Amino acid sequence: MTKTLNIAMIGGGFMGKAHAMAYASMPMFFWPAPAIPHRKVVVDVTDELAEAARQRFGFDEASSDWREVIARDDIDVIDICTPNNVHAEIAIAAAKAGKHIICEKPLARGGEEAKAMLDAVEKAGVIHMVAFNYRRTPAVALAKKYIDEGRIGEILNFRGTYLQDWSADPDGPLSWRFQKKIAGSGTIGDIGTHVVDLAHYLVGPISAVSALTPTYIKSRPLQSGGVDKLGASEKNSGAPRGEVDVDDEVVSMLKFECGAIGSLEATRNGYGRNNFITLEIHGTKGSILFNYERRDELQVMFADDPADARGFRTVYTGPAHPYGEGLWPIPALGIGYSETKIIECYDFFNAIASGEQPSPSFADGYLTELVADALITSGETEQWVKVQSLTAADKRTAVPA
Amino acid sequence: MTKTLNIAMIGGGFMGKAHAMAYASMPMFFWPAPAIPHRKVVVDVTDELAEAARQRFGFDEASSDWREVIARDDIDVIDICTPNNVHAEIAIAAAKAGKHIICEKPLARGGEEAKAMLDAVEKAGVIHMVAFNYRRTPAVALAKKYIDEGRIGEILNFRGTYLQDWSADPDGPLSWRFQKKIAGSGTIGDIGTHVVDLAHYLVGPISAVSALTPTYIKSRPLQSGGVDKLGASEKNSGAPRGEVDVDDEVVSMLKFECGAIGSLEATRNGYGRNNFITLEIHGTKGSILFNYERRDELQVMFADDPADARGFRTVYTGPAHPYGEGLWPIPALGIGYSETKIIECYDFFNAIASGEQPSPSFADGYLTELVADALITSGETEQWVKVQSLTAADKRTAVPA
Amino acid sequence: MTKTLNIAMIGGGFMGKAHAMAYASMPMFFWPAPAIPHRKVVVDVTDELAEAARQRFGFDEASSDWREVIARDDIDVIDICTPNNVHAEIAIAAAKAGKHIICEKPLARGGEEAKAMLDAVEKAGVIHMVAFNYRRTPAVALAKKYIDEGRIGEILNFRGTYLQDWSADPDGPLSWRFQKKIAGSGTIGDIGTHVVDLAHYLVGPISAVSALTPTYIKSRPLQSGGVDKLGASEKNSGAPRGEVDVDDEVVSMLKFECGAIGSLEATRNGYGRNNFITLEIHGTKGSILFNYERRDELQVMFADDPADARGFRTVYTGPAHPYGEGLWPIPALGIGYSETKIIECYDFFNAIASGEQPSPSFADGYLTELVADALITSGETEQWVKVQSLTAADKRTAVPA
Amino acid sequence: MTKTLNIAMIGGGFMGKAHAMAYASMPMFFWPAPAIPHRKVVVDVTDELAEAARQRFGFDEASSDWREVIARDDIDVIDICTPNNVHAEIAIAAAKAGKHIICEKPLARGGEEAKAMLDAVEKAGVIHMVAFNYRRTPAVALAKKYIDEGRIGEILNFRGTYLQDWSADPDGPLSWRFQKKIAGSGTIGDIGTHVVDLAHYLVGPISAVSALTPTYIKSRPLQSGGVDKLGASEKNSGAPRGEVDVDDEVVSMLKFECGAIGSLEATRNGYGRNNFITLEIHGTKGSILFNYERRDELQVMFADDPADARGFRTVYTGPAHPYGEGLWPIPALGIGYSETKIIECYDFFNAIASGEQPSPSFADGYLTELVADALITSGETEQWVKVQSLTAADKRTAVPA
């Protein structure tokens, strides 16, 4: 019989919403489900916020004390939806308590923290996963399938972008995402790591980077309350301002272990771009294009198509593609953010049920942090920076290249 | 305090999945919710199917007797997710029992049935809604806003399409969607009515139609079990075949009461089209384009833009647009089929909470059936056919033109 | 040795420019050229205009008397670039004088005139061609190739549009294009016939039509001088106004002799559309899409592609496609209006050199006029109207269906 | 009265065709023309080739001795359409003879040669221009207009690409474009310099670069005859092979003098890309997108548009935009490669007529060569490389930043 697993979710903001929706919906999509997620406890920073989250997100209980919750015997899974600065502390405690862990991205504020987290989960033998949901987009999974099957040959060049404009206005508030002590970095950690994760997933480990990492807007209005509303935040040009000490943008070149080269560009100041995650991958036998803003589609070109009918095919993902059996019965009924999170949830519970680490594990998240560290260092030194390699031990739960 | 309403959902297939997900998720998105949907009973044709649906979709109880369920005092809402042929019987019974009703589209197998349903709900004084979810796409709601604000002027021309290819293969099975006695019509009812609903929503009532309604594939393999898997169905060229007695396609011209003209095209045989719902609307001051396959986007052109910067704007919907407060904090994080159903659920429960009929009500659904009837008749006679007008009484719960 | 043919071009406006450019350039592209066009005489309505055209377009001589020019022995080809109302008179005179003729589209102001022109050229035994240049777009010629090779199977549905907005402003001037006595019809003749020509080229003869043909703007400012500047014309809201007695738009349904159905929509009042000629063709084995505004591209979908890589291919035309040997050595270097006219010129001179009628001949142009007549009649009667068939004699120079 | 200028064109290949077409057509488009180009002499490497070019391209005379032609008194303009290795020798001789010069891009095989050429033309006081035609695309000129008018604010980031696939096949022939001694470099000079020119035009001088410049295909089949057919060339896998000693691709980061950063990527091995020249420019008040494969369009986003109608506008260039008066009377009739060359010709003859240097002059071409040199050096050293600055003297004829 399908097992039910009790979840304690730490953090009841935007990400909490997405995760709670996925817990409720996953078995409806992927049935029989590998396990049934049960929304047991939600934790937020005050009792009031926690109680509000409980009602909204359909949990049994509310708490403002995550340590206490982690200590409970009836909790199977810890879900970390907090700002980056407490990921490590919570994850390490959860690992010690023998809980399976899903942690929002980026895994940590840098490689050092991530390594401690990895060591903790490895030692505890629990299942661990980082919530890089974009690789769960069926079109991205289809790209992976084409690549693994050799249908575009050896990869020569990878181009990844993540362009947004929600912080292009200098009067957007100084949320935690602009503060190094909480976020670790700016665009690099917030959105650049998504691209790094996609690069690792599709091409393999990045071995060296060269980057520019400007901060365009040096100060922003202080925020009362600290709520993080991203693109929905109000502008307040009259408020006192605090310093921004993270990058607004990263423009970079990449080298991969497999010999491919490429580039990564991420910004939150690119007017007109909303959630513009794109991939362009050139291989020796074809190419792949992806644009998350049109995420139902994958474009693929096969070089051996007949000369008079050669060009990018626009494939709308559906029943014939990865995860198709659980989603909608016709392509383009529509993949939204919800569906990416439902698939993520499915893969995570599959991993728990099977006992096999999912990808991206904390090892993958750690490697991504090492790339982020290298990007930061390169931005400071304006030199190529090698990415530290994972040890054999670290790699035990990393995704195969 | 927010009220909880008990739902009995009749039908546990593809649409049941979508509705159940919406019940679970709606309050997470739109909080405080107007009311909390509680998944009380799910009904399917056998006890076994009902029990499977109960587990999968998170209902308290399962039943194979919808009459018994409707009779219960503890049920507030009846949700009709069955094939078209039993919509009327269930809805009329539910109305008599004083239940609020949401019914999947099309409302009925034609105007006559729909009229009986409308009369029943009007008499009962319950809240009623037809699940034409595509008008809930935020980009479509934004189009409505532009039009209502006069930003594209008077409408001259409406072009709506719904093109699919899931039944283009002659060996796709003879599901209920190809049988007149169950479905009422083919493409017209199944997908054409979505376009009619969008036309009514954005332009106002259609007053006359002229149509061609070919059936390209006259027979299809009989299906054992009758399951309706749409694009995921298996081909079976060796099976015995049964007659298709509905239209595969409708190509038509439209006249609107407001004086605009237009066209409607729907097919399930247009290879390469998946869920290609498009709108092109020309007004005296601008134009609007929409393509559901790229549903995060609305395109709008304002004629009074400066000559050197005039052209369609591609607007990605987000916090600044309709329903934005409840969805995701950045445009293009992604609207999927799930989100359209969550919004639909929100509008329905808003209506119940406020006591004001939502749109599209059964009156709107009835008007859409009258247009469908006119399309069928025109396809047979190859003449312009006037759409029967709603009476003043019918119009009480119709959407204002 | 390559023959040189002397051209007399009647009309020195926008179309004269396009033709003169093609005469000068064609042999540079298609070399060895089938014949060398020599710009001998240009004719315009006054000596001054003719002399200006001579200098501008590089002709040897100027004249304001087309009859005199046609009578000359040293003229091989008459090129008719005038408004529609004098096409017939000039063409018939030219045929009688034994000249080869290329005539701008539409061939005439209706079927009757066109028939007289056809009879004249048939009797004279000269080469004749109508300048429907859009079918010369390499991507359209590629679509023709796919269809002829059976690669999309039997055609079920054809959708053609030609949407513009240059006359959407009520203060755009009353050029000859809005006057029935000169133009014959409005949108139908001006741009709708292009779509009819494309339909005939790709699908075969249209057998019946049903249309709506509204005139949105009933009067326009009178123009001094009568110059036709299309989108570059100045607005003059203060000027006295004259009546518009032609259609601003045509929305229609089509039946084809081969059994396919379809639709044709043309407007000059669709804000945001510039030269939006589109084709969507569904066949039993695939589909084709074309959008002239992105004319380097043809989209094609083959139903028998593998399920996981099925979708429209975006083919950029180049050396591997029709006319590729004469154009640019890389796809997407760019096809412009110029290139379509250069190809047209090439096909016309090929026909003269080979003695085989090109397509579209006057017979094709006559058939297109019969469809235009049927559209006008249907717009008046709101009934399906059969298109008069060509006689066997008429068909001698028509394009094979 | 309009002056006629005699042209001697050196080189009768693909570029000769484009230039000859422009000479014939320019006055037809831009009338009254600033001067009338007269096709006097065409030069090719043998008398036979020259005579063929004379006939094909409509020149009065043919020659295989460019030195002799340059010495003639009746030649006003030297047009250099040869491979890169003889640009300098011809241009310097032409300058000494007092001829105006238009030279195909790239100006030279590197900065040193370009500097000698610049010195020669400066000393001679003639008009000089480099044929970077893509900046003549009306949509690019419109981008320039927006930027100059401050409509997108200060530029933060420039992204330029030029992706092709015509040499992705290892069996494509070893044309001169793969030989350093003739071409100077590979992708960098051939297509990368187009992007550098666009960057200089729109953003201003590049001050430093960091690049990767791989050669993927180390040898190619030797070609008999040395004809350069680009995408139309035949594959010959059995032929003896020669070494490729230039780059197949350049991936790079840029710094601009104005403070902006950016990236440049060019490849001839990107399967599925044909002539994919794209620009993405982020400013403090908006953004601009351009894709040459859809060159009738410019996309622009203004940050101060109202929140509910903010997004990229797709502007089709026409009469209301740069060069519109000379081109076609409706947007999207179509800009092709021809039109870009006609505009280039117009600007060049305008410069001769007015006596004011056009842009890009040889000074601009020299600066572009310096960037190319820096890209090559950086590709070798994997370090940031500063671009050598122009001296005040050099800048006299450079485009203002």
Side-chain angles (χ1 to χ4, degrees), chain D residues 114-126:
Chain D
K115 171 68 170 146
M117 295 165 80
L118 173 59
D119 287 347
V121 293
E122 288 276 339
K123 188 169 171 193
V126 298

Side-chain angles (χ1 to χ4, degrees), chain B residues 277-315:
Chain B
I277 307 167
T278 67
L279 304 173
E280 174 153 359
I281 302 174
H282 301 153
T284 55
K285 294 170 62 180
S287 293
I288 283 173
L289 307 179
F290 173 70
N291 173 356
Y292 181 81
E293 295 193 342
R294 293 173 169 178
R295 80 203 64 82
D296 287 283
E297 309 167 28
L298 184 71
Q299 292 193 76
V300 62
M301 186 274 190
F302 301 118
D304 59 1
D305 269 339
D308 79 344
R310 216 170 80 153
F312 282 100
R313 303 176 188 197
T314 302
V315 181

Side-chain angles (χ1 to χ4, degrees), chain C residues 199-213:
Chain C
H200 285 171
Y201 179 53
L202 296 171
V203 187
I206 293 168
S207 56
V209 303
S210 179
L212 294 172
T213 58

Side-chain angles (χ1 to χ4, degrees), chain A residues 199-213:
Chain A
H200 285 170
Y201 179 53
L202 296 170
V203 186
I206 294 167
S207 56
V209 303
S210 180
L212 294 172
T213 58

Side-chain angles (χ1 to χ4, degrees), chain B residues 338-353:
Chain B
S338 293
E339 282 82 359
T340 69
K341 281 294 186 180
I342 290 167
I343 295 170
E344 177 178 277
C345 178
Y346 169 65
D347 282 343
F348 180 56
F349 280 85
N350 247 341
I352 296 175

